[in-house]
Amino acid sequence: MENIFVDKSINLIGEGADKVIIDGNSRLYAVNLLADGIRMENFTIKNGIEAGIYTEYDNIVIKNCKITANELFGMEILSKNVSIINCTIYAIDWGILIAGADNCTLKNLEIYSVENKSITIVSSNDINIEDT
């Protein structure tokens, strides 16, 4: 029940979003992706203050995750070549913030019970949103 910091290129594969929960325990971010080339799949991420998932590194894949109960953003993406696929984001203030990012793909997302904006894109290029 702690927030996690990932600072090397690695594949993090959980048994399933309903089985593996990362609880940020009211830390700034529940998950900090701090290296290029991280792949994260099959987790529930909750209880971050600023965001459930934060990254400013490139070539990140986030797949089959549930992001909920974070105080501000579900995800805060400040990087290039990020793919967010088959994720559910709900019960949150803001969904996804993409800022200063390039060449990102959001595909097959389910976003609901978001108080403000589901997806916010600021100063970014080539952001593709598919089947969301």
Side-chain angles (χ1 to χ4, degrees):
M1 287 213 221
E2 290 287 331
N3 59 334
I4 64 170
F5 296 82
V6 181
D7 62 359
K8 60 177 76 174
S9 178
I10 190 170
N11 291 332
L12 298 170
I13 311 296
E15 290 182 21
D18 293 327
K19 295 180 181 181
V20 183
I21 299 170
I22 298 171
D23 187 332
N25 202 23
S26 295
R27 303 295 198 291
L28 190 59
Y29 303 107
V31 176
N32 299 268
L33 303 179
L34 305 173
D36 293 337
I38 297 171
R39 183 179 190 96
M40 181 173 193
E41 294 185 32
N42 306 326
F43 293 93
T44 291
I45 296 103
K46 65 180 190 174
N47 292 330
I49 293 175
E50 175 83 15
I53 298 174
Y54 171 85
T55 190
E56 57 185 64
Y57 290 85
D58 300 336
N59 304 311
I60 304 291
V61 176
I62 301 166
K63 187 174 180 183
N64 301 326
C65 289
K66 292 182 181 179
I67 294 92
T68 187
N70 298 286
E71 289 187 31
L72 194 52
F73 296 103
M75 296 182 197
E76 195 169 334
I77 308 298
L78 311 165
S79 50
K80 298 175 185 165
N81 302 316
V82 175
S83 295
I84 303 169
I85 303 164
N86 297 329
C87 291
T88 303
I89 300 167
Y90 63 99
I92 202 160
D93 196 14
W94 297 77
I96 301 171
L97 170 65
I98 299 174
D102 292 307
N103 194 33
C104 296
T105 299
L106 310 177
K107 185 173 182 180
N108 261 359
L109 303 183
E110 183 177 1
I111 303 173
Y112 62 93
S113 295
V114 174
E115 187 173 327
N116 288 297
K117 296 180 181 173
S118 297
I119 301 170
T120 303
I121 301 170
V122 179
S123 300
S124 299
N125 297 299
D126 297 320
I127 308 302
N128 300 301
I129 301 173
E130 304 173 24
D131 301 323
T132 297

